Amino acid sequence: MSLAMNIVEIATQNGLAENAGKINMVELEIGSLAGVMVEALTFCFEAATKGTLAEGAALQINDVQAKAKCTKCGTLFFIQSHFDDCPDCGNPAAEIIQGMDLKIISITVDE
Amino acid sequence: MCDTCGCSHSKISLTVKAPGAKSIHDHYHSPQKKIEIQEDVLSKNNLLAQENRRFLKNKNIRTFNLVSSPGSGKTTLLEKTIIALKKNLSIAVIEGDQQTFRDAERIEATGVPAVQINTGTGCHLDAEMIARALQSLPLQDNSLLFIENVGNLVCPAMFDLGEDAKIVIISVTEGDDKPLKYPGMFHAADICVITKTDLSPYVDFEIAACKENALAVNPRLKFFILSAKTGEGMGEWLDWLSHR
């Protein structure tokens, strides 16, 4: 819920700064390892928008698949979990370089 | 709401249909504008966490954020740690719980200042709560501050509070596969404490397997294996805290 409230706060602040009448859509980017349950977030988002500029706004969610870099051989590879081994050398240690973020990309507003 | 395209229209609706043609969906849409934002949803929390970190660093206060599932023994570990270290070190505690002042009362009974944050339905502490708590705590320079987070292995992983290290605590009464089931937390942590080792003979928990699982998630993890109840393994933990 606090994530949803943060999203609504950022969206409405940006909407107000542009003198928008209404926010119709909020575009998010969610990494596959960001620890965010999309269903829960969508549910909370609707509740968090009540009485705000973003009330009734749709959520557009762009998934970002997590990527890691092997600490041994440097191979870049997509990962499903925090503990995937390097597909090239089998090394279990990899640095996650993408897919941990939860970002608000844009809002679409009535002009 | 327009049934055809799902848009929201409060102004004029217009349908244009040429004779004999199929119905054409056409009506008034207010002009739309896309505003680029590109901002991390947790940016406000992260900014406040940086402020907390700067404030604590200026006073040379070492801060540890204790995270675990409920019932791992965080408060007992804290009580025993405080009793052992308070002679030589100033210590303060921020207690996070959904309800009750029980843990803060237990900590205060050890003779150090504690402030309780009740999160209500919230499942984690955030940087703003810590900023407020810091104002009401008597903090000494060159001291230790422990933050006991809400018992939850999921959400507290996402929120930077301004701490020096996140310490994840797992007791031997839990499953040794917990690091694989809750990888986000073990990935975010710097230290892993395996507690209640006095119960090891009675449970199926394999300490070596737990360590291996945790290292698969986060190869940088440093471990302490101890029993706060019997004191076994506490020496190394207390030593590490004293020299931080």
Side-chain angles (χ1 to χ4, degrees):
Chain A
M1 188 67 196
S2 70
L3 291 180
M5 285 164 72
N6 280 331
I7 292 167
V8 173
E9 193 183 332
I10 295 170
T12 50
Q13 273 172 3
N14 280 275
L16 287 171
E18 298 274 337
N19 292 318
K22 187 179 179 326
I23 297 173
N24 297 312
M25 168 137 62
V26 177
E27 183 186 6
L28 299 178
E29 199 174 271
I30 304 184
S32 58
L33 294 181
V36 178
M37 249 181 84
V38 173
E39 295 80 6
L41 182 66
T42 311
F43 178 78
C44 292
F45 176 77
E46 200 185 323
T49 57
K50 287 268 153 57
T52 74
L53 206 59
E55 183 161 352
L59 260 189
Q60 184 191 318
I61 294 173
N62 309 332
D63 298 321
V64 177
Q65 200 185 345
K67 217 176 193 179
K69 184 181 179 182
C70 175
T71 54
K72 206 163 147 193
C73 71
T75 298
L76 292 174
F77 57 104
F78 286 112
I79 49 172
Q80 308 299 324
S81 70
H82 285 85
F83 41 87
D84 286 0
D85 296 344
C86 172
D88 274 7
C89 71
N91 177 36
E95 183 196 350
I96 298 172
I97 55 167
Q98 176 185 295
M100 300 278 288
D101 291 336
L102 169 59
K103 269 164 86 177
I104 174 161
I105 300 299
S106 72
I107 54 174
T108 305
V109 301
D110 274 359
E111 256 182 319
Chain B
M1 180 73 79
C2 160
D3 290 337
T4 312
C5 72
C7 75
S8 190
H9 62 98
S10 52
K11 297 185 181 168
I12 315 154
S13 182
L14 178 70
T15 304
V16 182
K17 188 171 174 286
K22 282 186 178 171
S23 130
I24 301 162
H25 173 67
D26 186 13
H27 63 153
Y28 178 80
H29 280 252
S30 351
Q32 305 267 308
K33 186 165 77 166
K34 190 170 175 177
I35 303 168
E36 292 290 330
I37 298 180
Q38 298 283 353
E39 187 177 330
D40 195 306
V41 171
L42 292 174
S43 55
K44 190 180 158 199
N45 180 78
N46 295 343
L47 217 64
L48 281 168
Q50 282 308 328
E51 278 176 32
N52 290 346
R53 191 167 279 121
R54 204 174 307 126
F55 171 81
L56 293 162
K57 201 171 177 197
N58 281 341
K59 294 174 83 65
N60 194 28
I61 298 171
R62 297 283 173 214
T63 308
F64 302 105
N65 179 8
L66 307 185
V67 291
S68 78
S69 33
S72 67
K74 285 193 297 297
T75 314
T76 303
L77 176 64
L78 259 181
E79 284 173 320
K80 296 294 171 84
T81 301
I82 290 165
I83 290 164
L85 293 180
K86 70 174 184 176
K87 264 178 274 167
N88 302 317
L89 270 170
S90 280
I91 300 173
V93 178
I94 297 173
E95 279 289 340
D97 260 318
Q98 289 199 314
Q99 296 287 333
T100 85
F101 294 94
R102 283 166 184 249
D103 287 353
E105 285 163 5
R106 279 175 64 184
I107 296 300
E108 271 177 340
T110 66
V112 304
V115 58
Q116 177 84 43
I117 301 172
N118 283 136
T119 56
T121 53
C123 54
H124 60 270
L125 296 175
D126 65 31
E128 192 180 354
M129 296 173 189
I130 299 303
R132 272 187 282 144
L134 290 176
Q135 288 170 7
S136 51
L137 259 181
L139 291 164
Q140 307 277 329
D141 287 3
N142 311 311
S143 62
L144 279 186
L145 171 66
F146 292 104
I147 300 169
E148 185 178 340
N149 218 312
V150 179
N152 172 359
L153 274 179
V154 184
C155 306
M158 297 179 76
F159 290 81
D160 183 8
L161 305 179
E163 70 272 29
D164 288 299
K166 260 195 190 70
I167 300 179
V168 62
I169 297 162
I170 175 168
S171 63
V172 301
T173 56
E174 300 169 50
D176 51 31
D177 56 354
K178 262 214 167 135
L180 302 179
K181 292 162 90 174
Y182 298 91
M185 182 57 86
F186 286 82
H187 186 262
D190 308 280
I191 307 291
C192 177
V193 178
I194 301 178
T195 57
K196 303 192 188 177
T197 53
D198 54 295
L199 296 175
S200 283
Y202 314 107
V203 292
D204 288 333
F205 188 96
E206 297 277 348
I207 289 174
C210 179
K211 277 177 80 171
E212 196 182 316
N213 290 335
L215 286 169
V217 175
N218 179 358
R220 302 179 315 276
L221 270 180
K222 178 178 170 59
F223 292 89
F224 293 99
I225 296 160
L226 53 86
S227 161
K229 191 176 174 187
T230 65
E232 183 194 4
M234 283 289 283
E236 204 183 328
W237 159 251
L238 296 171
D239 239 32
W240 181 79
L241 287 172
S242 311
H243 292 101
R244 289 288 292 177

